[in-house]
Amino acid sequence: MRRLWVLATVLSAGATALAEEKNAWFGDIHVHTRYSYDAFFFGTLASPDDAYRFAKGEPLMHPAGIELQLERSLDFYAVTDHAYFLGMWWAVKTDPAHPLRSNPEAVRIAEAEARYERGVAYRVAFRWPKEQYRPEDMRSTWLDIQGAAQRHYDPGTFTTFIAFEFTPEPNMDGLHRNVIYRGAKAPPRVIGRGDTLNPEVLWDWMDRYRAEGIEALAIPHNMNLSNGRMFEGTYFDGSPLDAAYAEQRMRNEPLVEITQIKGTSDTHPALAVNDEWANFEIVPFKLGAGFNKSQPHGSYAREALLNGLRFRERIGVNPYRFGFIGSSDTHNGGERFVESKFVGKVGDFMSDPVDRGSVPVPPGGRGQPYPEPDENLSAAEREYLMRAPQLGHLETARRYYGASGLAGIWAPENTREALFDAMRRKETFGTSGPRITVRFVAAETLEGGPNAAYRDTPAGGVAQGGDLVLPAGASPRFHAWAMADPMSAKLQRLQVVKGWVDDGWPRERVFDIACSDGLAVDPDTHRCPDNGAAVDLSDCSITPGKGAALLRADWEDPEFDPDHPSFYYVRVLENPTCRWSTWDAIRAGVMPRPDLEETLQERAWSSPIWVDARPCGSRWSFASRNSQGPCAHSAETACRMPDRWPISASSSMPARAGAIVQSTVCQPKLCSSVPASRLATADIPNTPKSFTACARNRSLAR
């Protein structure tokens, strides 16, 4: 009965929930400790408890003996240790009674101390027979991870999430996901690459536990290293993608991690040739595959969003309708998110600038001083000597890593339920490290004025992550604002990235919508003039007095066409600052490595807003967000609409009045009152048969 009441509330025309004011919260939900098999061999000793204490502001000892400490504590955190061999090697090392203590090779691997020995042990351990992985190691470690999350959860002050990482790599093509749980209840075990390499099996597993009241979502990351597999547009086995796949994927994966230490997955210069800022922290090589490059097509979020619109035209449902979040993927237990303090993600394997590839190996060997050029030489001659071949850099893919990233969530309070529900509705943003705040809303009419904060959702509109459905022929109005991190550089420009499909072809365009320093957007190029901000590469100082603490704009798309469903998201750029590799070079007294960018522009991205202004009779018009609006639907119809599932009672998500809640599961009881005969697709004109989500979930629950 409660579920039926929730559904009725969701489809009602009230406005209370829409007016709920939200705050921006910052955190990291991708963190590894000693229980991850790789972090263990990187020398990490930090426990989940240590990681949570670090997030709350306490110091943490890095494997290389460097004390790490945040200048500001975080609002939320999740330890996401790898399911693969979870806790096994720590158990072998610390438990004298462990059965593998009788195996000399296992003992040698677990007790390796020197960095070189641990590097060899890591490669051997990665291929250790999974049959020797003791279930008790997983269970006890998983319970300790859950216990740490419970011990450090302080509702309203600091939120922790029970979580783990699923890390399949077919042919070394990364298909990694972090699985985040809403509450204190989690399955008795985790699922990992030892069980399957197929993400669809993970989604089935999540669906099964969701039916038992255990709500979770999965967040893919490092799409950039997937070699085109993350968004390949087919089932895992290569069969054609259909609506059932799209529904299940979006039910389980409403977000992607757009940035982290191993690069940014927004877009690639080869995919966005007209985007001057596309070449940001690009990691070209596949993970763990040496210098084998990752295929850009199928590996980046913006292209996937565009292809999602194309799939929606073809099969009626969008498999890539996701929001954005950032996180670090640190394997040290914690990350400081500051370029000048970057020490890598892989323990003492990357803690030295030489190992990071940012400074050359001294001719006399590690630890020796670099040669001093003759003072009588010209500046050009001195520079040549400092770049000379005898000062060779290590050829390591880790030189492309960065001090990223952070997750931003808009929620009314700092609790598990509020933050998780915001992630579920994609009211999120990601940053490359600084605590830049980004807000993005849309409606047919915005009445708040140009200085409105829109911390609540505008009447009749949506916030980042939502679908804006307009009357036929109407145009959307957007409001965006971004606030600079007071401990980082000022903001240079505020942008909207638009994507749409025209006659089957994907299109994209970047619009500057607000400029710093009193500058104005050129109406022809849609670009801000250069604000003159620069970096002094001798000491990384930046031009004073340039940039803005706050950028905001009301904006209308000058090229909007209601016949072309589209998406929009905000990107905001800071003034240029030094990249971590340049900081390393300055401290070492050498020139920055010539094949790396000397500076970067830190940034943040909002989740997209999808817009549809086609008539309700159009084949693929979105469902209305308002039961009194132009495309009203009954409860049973809503159960079968593409990309939408009514809320389940198990999630206890606050109902958003006047909305069909997105991307939550259509539980069997919600549709149990709908006669099976009425689940026939003939009840909805032009609806494919595969939209019978309720019937499908009935069969899943049996």
Side-chain angles (χ1 to χ4, degrees), residues 551-582:
L551 289 175
R552 69 192 327 153
D554 283 330
W555 183 73
E556 295 182 39
D557 180 359
E559 302 171 356
F560 181 74
D561 186 337
D563 289 331
H564 299 148
S566 50
F567 65 80
Y568 302 81
Y569 64 89
V570 165
R571 183 176 65 185
V572 58
L573 308 182
E574 283 189 352
N575 283 335
T577 52
C578 273
R579 191 175 185 269
W580 64 265
S581 49
T582 303

Side-chain angles (χ1 to χ4, degrees), residues 10 18 43 117 163 173 236 296 303 402 641 649 656:
V10 168
L18 285 175
E117 293 174 347
D173 300 335
F236 184 78
E303 183 196 44
M641 287 305 298
R656 298 184 62 186

Side-chain angles (χ1 to χ4, degrees), residues 5-6 64 89 106 130 151 156 166 223 338 588 595-596 632 639 646 694:
W5 177 85
V6 170
W89 292 107
K130 64 181 182 181
R151 287 189 289 275
F166 173 72
M223 301 82 75
V338 179
D595 61 348
L596 294 177
C639 277
C694 292

